[in-house]
């Protein structure tokens, strides 16, 4: 995996770029140093603690990395964005993000890894997850440095994720914020519930449409806890229709409408504003 990067600030060193700007872990940085993965604009080895001028072009050459997942070449998923660093693709409802048991290979990451390998790559790792019953956009890193950088961006709330959901009842406030910590429900193995001792969880919502006995909401995650949107909406008395686990009224096919339709962020390697929207929803 090779790519080039233009230094954005006068005086930045390679060490500072990797550790502070990109937030890479010690192990990854050490491996890159040992592999002599960073070259200057003359393709010579760089001095890691030497200040660089703004505009200096660095060349990265990473050794091939493997993936723990088995590629599935029989499932093709719609890809809405792809470059050398990551892929954003649409996961259908009913498909798991990753395998949950030995031998399972019909998940989103298996299918995307199949695409990556057919394109000449070797590595794929999901950056975040969607519940099996949730559809929409998922991001996959194509090399370990991208995975490290995107993990940090997710943690620092620099990846904005927008959802749509159809919920029970008329939501009276046109917009608002649901700010309740979430923890495990000790009475149910997979369910989450609002708990004072839980992890901070913040969901912003806006009403898009009112219908007979239900509302269409636009939701934006500030945090990304397990089942966050589903648990939050249930807690305020507006569970997602069809989401039986969180007391939503049943639908004929047992499914619910929660769709991750947009992702937006500043690209960590090109510094472009990236907005990917799934218009087929």
């Amino acid at each position: 995996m090779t790519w080039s990067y233009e230094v954005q600030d006068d005086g930045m060193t390679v060490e500072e770029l990797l550790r502070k700007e990109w937030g890479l872990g010690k192990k990854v940085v050490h491996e890159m140093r040992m592999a002599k993965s960073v070259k200057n604009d003359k393709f010579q080895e760089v001095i890691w603690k030497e200040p660089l001028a703004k505009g200096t072009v660095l060349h990265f050459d990473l050794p091939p990395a493997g993936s723990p997942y088995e590629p599935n070449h029989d499932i093709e998923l719609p890809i809405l964005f792809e470059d050398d660093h990551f892929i954003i693709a649409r996961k259908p409802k009913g498909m798991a993000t990753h395998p949950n048991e030995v031998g399972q290979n019909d998940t989103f990451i298996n299918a995307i890894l199949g695409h990556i390998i057919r394109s000449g790559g070797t590595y794929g790792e999901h950056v975040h997850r969607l519940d099996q019953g949730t559809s929409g956009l998922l991001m996959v890193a194509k090399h370990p440095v991208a995975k490290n950088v995107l993990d940090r961006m997710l943690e620092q709330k620099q990846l904005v994720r927008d959802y749509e959901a159809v919920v029970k009842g008329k939501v009276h406030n046109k917009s608002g914020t649901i700010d309740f910590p979430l923890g495990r429900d000790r009475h149910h193995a997979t369910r989450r519930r609002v708990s004072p001792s839980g992890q901070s969880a913040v969901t912003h919502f806006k009403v898009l449409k009112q219908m007979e006995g239900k509302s269409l909401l636009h939701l934006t995650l500030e945090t990304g806890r397990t089942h966050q949107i589903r648990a939050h909406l249930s807690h305020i008395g507006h569970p997602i229709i069809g989401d039986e686990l969180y007391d939503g009224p049943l639908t004929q096919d047992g499914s619910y409408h929660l769709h991750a339709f947009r992702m937006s962020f500043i690209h960590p390697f090109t510094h472009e504003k990236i907005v990917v929207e799934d218009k087929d929803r």
Side-chain angles (χ1 to χ4, degrees), residues 60-120:
F60 291 82
D61 186 4
L62 302 181
S67 175
Y69 304 108
E70 177 186 346
N72 187 318
H73 297 287
D74 297 325
I75 304 173
E76 292 192 25
L77 298 175
I79 293 173
L80 283 77
F81 180 95
E82 182 174 9
D83 66 4
D84 290 339
H85 308 287
F86 56 86
I87 290 172
I88 297 175
R90 183 194 304 134
K91 183 189 84 67
K93 66 175 62 180
M95 174 181 279
T97 297
H98 55 80
N100 293 305
E101 55 188 46
V102 176
Q104 185 179 6
N105 74 339
D106 58 352
T107 74
F108 173 86
I109 192 63
N110 299 114
I112 294 299
L113 185 59
H115 166 81
I116 289 171
I117 288 175
R118 290 193 300 275
S119 303

Side-chain angles (χ1 to χ4, degrees), residues 1 3 18 22-25 28 32 62 65-69 83-87 97-98 109 116 123-129 138-156 159 267-269:
M1 169 60 66
W3 81 90
L18 301 185
W22 291 354
L24 301 184
V28 174
M32 292 176 71
L62 302 181
S67 175
Y69 304 108
D83 66 4
D84 290 339
H85 308 287
F86 56 86
I87 290 172
T97 297
H98 55 80
I109 192 63
I116 289 171
Y123 176 94
E125 184 67 71
H126 53 87
V127 177
H128 56 113
R129 298 173 178 82
L138 267 174
M139 178 184 280
V140 173
K142 293 175 67 175
H143 57 82
V145 171
K147 177 65 165 70
N148 271 249
V149 173
L150 293 166
D151 281 347
R152 178 191 59 81
M153 291 176 65
L154 187 66
E155 184 178 311
Q156 296 182 356
L159 298 178
H267 196 299
F269 304 116

Side-chain angles (χ1 to χ4, degrees), residues 121-272:
T122 60
Y123 176 94
E125 184 67 71
H126 53 87
V127 177
H128 56 113
R129 298 173 178 82
L130 291 177
D131 296 337
Q132 187 161 330
T134 302
S135 59
L137 303 183
L138 267 174
M139 178 184 280
V140 173
K142 293 175 67 175
H143 57 82
V145 171
K147 177 65 165 70
N148 271 249
V149 173
L150 293 166
D151 281 347
R152 178 191 59 81
M153 291 176 65
L154 187 66
E155 184 178 311
Q156 296 182 356
K157 305 171 186 176
Q158 295 173 356
L159 298 178
V160 180
R161 293 163 291 159
D162 295 284
Y163 294 72
E164 281 185 356
V166 178
V167 304
K168 175 184 175 182
K170 183 177 180 180
V171 179
H172 295 289
N173 293 330
K174 292 183 178 179
S175 62
T177 296
I178 310 169
D179 185 355
F180 296 109
L182 295 174
R184 291 183 178 275
D185 187 336
R186 65 178 184 274
H187 301 297
H188 197 290
T190 58
R191 185 180 161 113
R192 298 299 190 270
R193 66 180 183 87
V194 168
S195 169
S197 61
Q199 294 178 298
S200 171
V202 180
T203 305
H204 305 286
F205 72 88
K206 180 169 63 176
V207 177
L208 296 178
K209 188 178 180 181
Q210 300 280 11
M211 298 161 280
E212 181 86 27
K214 55 189 177 182
S215 304
L216 175 64
L217 302 184
H218 173 186
L219 303 121
T220 303
L221 287 179
E222 187 171 311
T223 54
R225 309 303 179 197
T226 300
H227 295 186
Q228 178 175 317
I229 290 175
R230 299 165 64 191
H232 268 171
L233 291 174
S234 178
H235 182 75
I236 66 170
H238 295 286
I240 298 172
I241 291 175
D243 189 4
E244 184 179 4
L245 182 63
Y246 286 94
D247 305 318
L250 297 181
T251 54
Q252 283 189 335
D253 62 0
S255 68
Y256 58 85
H257 180 74
L258 176 58
H259 184 72
F261 73 92
R262 185 166 61 211
M263 293 187 68
S264 53
F265 54 95
I266 302 299
H267 196 299
F269 304 116
T270 68
H271 301 283
E272 296 175 280

